[in-house]
Amino acid sequence: MELRSTSFDSYGFIPERFANGRMAPSGETMKGENLLPQLAWEGVPEGTKTFVLCCIDDDVPTGWNDRDLSGEIPASQPRRRFVHWVQANVPADVREVAEGTGRRDVPGAAGLNDYVSGDAPEADGTGLGYDGPRPPFFDARWHVYRWVVLALDVELALPAVFRLADVEALVKGHVLGTAEVSGRYTLNPRLRPAG
């Protein structure tokens, strides 16, 4: 399988319009457009019944107050996973998500992402479906965001409220193929590309 996006170059800088957080002219972090990037996949294995789509950041700091003398979280600090999106039971005939598709308009079932810790999204919808990058501006590490597609030979029997961990437990033995595309993002003014 192959997963591609016309919204950003593979391993390139993710444009701000796809982020949950962007830099304000004042230098502060503000709410971004939070648009879903375009994604398309091909080379789907025979027997595919559904897809799972997700976006994961494996570069989230484990200690927000562990800063060096410059005030930044060191790039060498141990990191953890942060789930930005999980969409399960996407029908087998779907091969693309258009850029800017609404968080509730992607076919299949939307799971909770890690912007919420409880069992319900925020009042503004944050936490359900896609919520893009918003790394801390004082992090000395670029964050790499991985968009992943899994082809499954089954429709998942999901609980009404689910997270990526629930999906991971259910897909064991049912994955026919996977593909991913990555992009990078930062809000650290020292690291951001000019322009």
Side-chain angles (χ1 to χ4, degrees):
M1 283 179 63
E2 182 181 9
L3 177 63
R4 290 171 289 130
S5 179
T6 58
S7 297
F8 57 90
D9 294 331
S10 179
Y11 207 70
F13 186 74
I14 299 166
E16 281 189 338
R17 65 185 181 274
F18 305 113
N20 187 294
R22 66 181 183 86
M23 294 301 293
S26 64
E28 296 178 0
T29 302
M30 64 181 288
K31 183 77 172 166
E33 289 181 69
N34 207 28
L35 299 177
L36 187 63
Q38 183 270 355
L39 298 168
W41 53 99
E42 59 188 20
V44 174
E46 188 175 331
T48 297
K49 297 267 188 353
T50 63
F51 298 105
V52 171
L53 300 168
C54 58
C55 179
I56 300 166
D57 173 9
D58 293 310
D59 296 312
V60 173
T62 53
W64 292 83
N65 296 320
D66 180 19
R67 301 192 198 181
D68 60 21
L69 294 176
S70 70
E72 293 183 344
I73 295 172
S76 60
Q77 184 192 92
R79 303 297 168 130
R80 66 176 180 85
R81 176 174 92 169
F82 189 96
V83 177
H84 286 266
W85 182 39
V86 57
Q87 190 80 15
N89 290 337
V90 177
D93 60 347
V94 175
R95 294 291 189 280
E96 181 177 11
V97 176
E99 182 175 308
T101 299
R103 67 174 68 211
R104 303 258 176 9
D105 299 326
V106 180
L112 293 177
N113 63 49
D114 287 343
Y115 278 101
V116 292
S117 57
D119 290 335
E122 301 292 337
D124 66 357
T126 299
L128 181 64
Y130 176 77
D131 284 305
R134 191 184 182 115
F137 71 89
F138 47 84
D139 195 347
R141 180 187 285 194
W142 277 92
H143 286 228
V144 176
Y145 296 84
R146 300 184 300 118
W147 279 267
V148 182
V149 60
L150 288 79
L152 307 180
D153 64 0
V154 67
E155 182 173 332
L156 299 176
L158 294 162
V161 176
F162 68 93
R163 293 182 175 271
L164 182 56
D166 300 307
V167 171
E168 290 171 327
L170 292 170
V171 302
K172 290 180 181 172
H174 295 287
V175 179
L176 300 176
T178 64
E180 70 177 68
V181 63
S182 298
R184 299 178 303 133
Y185 193 73
T186 183
L187 287 171
N188 186 327
R190 183 177 63 77
L191 301 177
R192 289 174 63 82

